[in-house]
Amino acid sequence: MKIDLTDTTSSKINKALVKGRRAIGTPAVGMVLTLVIVTDEENAYDALKAANDASREHPSRKLVVIKRVSRSPRDRTKSRLDAEVRVGTDAGTGETVVLRLYGEVVNHAQSVVLPLLLPDAPTVVWWPVDAPLDPAQDPLGALGQRRVTDTYAAEQPVHELEARAASYSPGDTDLSWTRITPWRSMLAAALDQVTCDVTSVEVEGEEFNPSCELLAMWLADRLDVPVRRTLSAGPGLTGVRLESTCGPIVLDRADGTLATLSIQGQPDRAVALKRRETSELIAEELRRLDPDDTYAAALRFGVDRLGEPADQMTAPAPEAAATKTAAPAAKKTAAKKAPAKKAPAKKAPAKKAAAK
C-alpha cells in the first residue's frame, strides 16, 4: 500500500503510517530499529532496494531522506516536504517513508526525521554516497547510535580514509570495512593452523579500493610487521601473501568468487569468497550496534605507514615526542640565559714569616 503526501508535515506522515497499518490489518508495530538513509535521487532506488532486502533479517522503519536541489534563488526560499508512505508488501519487512525536501527545510532535515523515529528503538544512519567528513557531528548522524558510510563511493577513497580516521567517533563504521569480514576470518583461521611467526605481508588489489587499504592496516596493526600494498587488475581484493618462518601463506582470489588458500606443507584448499551485495553488507552491520573497536584501531593505524619497517611502525607517544623536542631547546635557552661563571681568582702565595 502506498500513500502520497504533498506539502506535508511529520505529524501527517505519522497519521498516514497508522492509517496504512490499519488498512492492511497489522496495527501492531513489530520493528526493531529505524534505518535513516540519506541519499540523492540517483541512488535512492538502489539504496532502498538493499535496505528492503536487509529488512527480512532486521524488520525496520526505513526513512529515506532525499535533499532536492532548487534551481533558482526564489525556490530556495520556499520550504516544502513531500512524502511517500509505504506499508505492507511495498515496504519489505516493516515500513518505508520516502522524504523529499525542498528549499530551506533541506538544512533542517533532522527536525523532519526526529518525530518519525521509532520510540525506544535504536537508530542507524546510512549514507550510500556523499557522506559528511564527520558523521557524528552531522545533524542527522547525531540521531543515530551507528553511522554507516561507504568510502568506496568517494572520489578519492584514500583521502577519505584519512578524514575518517581524524574524525572517528564510537559508532562509526564503513561498508568498505564490512566487505573484508570474510577475508579477516579466513586469514585468522589460517594463522591458527601454524605456529610460525609472520615476518611480512603483501596485500594485492585494484586501485582506488579502500577495502585493500583497510585490510593492510588491520594486518599491520595486529601483526606488527611491515605490510606492502600492491596493485592488480581486480576485481576488488585479489590476494594476500604472508611470509612466515615456516614458509608463505597465500590467500588468492583472482575471479572475485572462489579463492585458494595455500599453506606450506599442506594441500591447497578452495575457499568461497564471493563479492557480496550491498544488502548483505547492511544486514551484517545491523547485527551489532556497539562500537567497532577493531575497525577504529585499523583506521587509526594510517595509510601513510603501510610499508614501513617493523622497528619504525610504533610511533612515539605525543607527550614523549614533545618532551624530546622540547628538551634540547630548553637546554639551549638555559645556556643562553645563564651567565658564564668567572674562573676563581688565584690566591696569592702567603708571605713567609719575617725572620726572627
Side-chain angles (χ1 to χ4, degrees):
M1 180 179 180
K2 295 183 181 180
I3 303 174
D4 289 326
L5 301 172
T6 304
D7 198 6
T8 185
T9 62
S10 299
S11 177
K12 293 179 181 179
I13 295 171
N14 267 320
K15 292 178 181 178
L17 286 168
V18 175
K19 178 182 177 182
R21 287 198 301 267
R22 289 176 178 172
I24 63 175
T26 57
V29 178
M31 292 164 285
V32 298
L33 58 89
T34 303
L35 178 61
V36 181
I37 307 171
V38 188
T39 184
D40 53 16
E41 200 71 62
E42 179 183 357
N43 297 278
Y45 175 81
D46 293 335
L48 185 55
K49 183 178 183 302
N52 284 336
D53 292 341
S55 69
R56 296 170 186 162
E57 183 178 342
H58 309 278
S60 57
R61 173 177 288 180
K62 298 167 287 294
L63 305 177
V64 184
V65 180
I66 302 174
K67 300 178 180 181
R68 300 296 296 267
V69 178
S70 301
R71 297 184 178 180
S72 65
R74 184 186 307 167
D75 292 336
R76 296 191 191 102
T77 60
K78 298 178 182 178
S79 297
R80 196 179 88 204
L81 171 63
D82 295 343
E84 182 180 329
V85 178
R86 305 179 187 178
V87 293
T89 55
D90 294 321
T93 305
E95 300 170 343
T96 299
V97 181
V98 181
L99 304 167
R100 290 182 171 87
L101 284 63
Y102 301 82
E104 292 183 355
V105 74
V106 168
N107 300 321
H108 305 281
Q110 72 279 6
S111 301
V112 177
V113 171
L114 184 59
L116 302 176
L117 301 179
L118 288 173
D120 302 324
T123 300
V124 179
V125 184
W126 172 33
W127 291 268
V129 293
D130 298 330
L133 293 179
D134 192 348
Q137 296 300 320
D138 183 82
L140 283 173
L143 300 176
Q145 285 76 38
R146 289 298 298 272
R147 295 163 293 276
V148 185
T149 58
D150 192 355
T151 312
Y152 187 77
E155 289 189 13
Q156 297 180 322
V158 175
H159 294 297
E160 196 82 3
L161 285 177
E162 295 174 353
R164 293 280 175 269
S167 63
Y168 174 82
S169 295
D172 292 354
T173 189
D174 197 299
L175 293 187
S176 296
W177 171 257
T178 316
R179 289 184 180 96
I180 62 173
T181 300
W183 285 83
R184 293 189 292 120
S185 302
M186 193 57 58
L187 291 171
L191 290 175
D192 284 341
Q193 301 177 32
V194 297
T195 58
C196 311
D197 294 330
V198 178
T199 57
S200 65
V201 179
E202 179 182 349
V203 177
E204 183 186 64
E206 65 182 356
E207 193 175 6
F208 306 119
N209 191 321
S211 295
C212 303
E213 271 76 18
L214 282 169
L215 182 61
M217 290 189 290
W218 173 72
L219 288 168
D221 178 65
R222 307 305 280 184
L223 298 177
D224 196 22
V225 297
V227 178
R228 189 162 59 100
R229 166 78 161 93
T230 58
L231 301 180
S232 70
L237 187 58
T238 55
V240 176
R241 182 183 181 90
L242 293 86
E243 298 291 345
S244 71
T245 54
C246 299
I249 301 172
V250 182
L251 183 59
D252 182 69
R253 186 189 68 177
D255 58 356
T257 304
L258 194 65
T260 303
L261 177 62
S262 304
I263 301 177
Q264 189 75 20
Q266 299 182 19
D268 293 350
R269 280 165 283 185
V271 180
L273 273 181
K274 179 186 150 192
R275 288 167 62 84
R276 298 184 293 170
E277 301 291 335
T278 306
S279 57
E280 300 177 64
L281 304 177
I282 286 294
E284 179 183 330
E285 284 302 329
L286 295 181
R287 290 185 199 126
R288 57 175 301 173
L289 298 175
D290 57 317
D292 193 342
D293 296 331
T294 308
Y295 165 70
L299 188 64
R300 287 170 174 162
F301 181 86
V303 181
D304 54 341
R305 293 174 61 195
L306 294 177
E308 289 185 359
D311 56 349
Q312 299 179 9
M313 288 175 62
T314 304
E319 296 81 1
T323 304
K324 290 181 180 179
T325 306
K331 289 182 180 178
K332 291 180 181 178
T333 306
K336 290 180 180 178
K337 291 183 178 179
K341 294 182 180 180
K342 295 182 179 180
K346 294 183 180 179
K347 294 182 179 180
K351 295 181 179 180
K352 295 182 180 180
K356 292 182 180 179

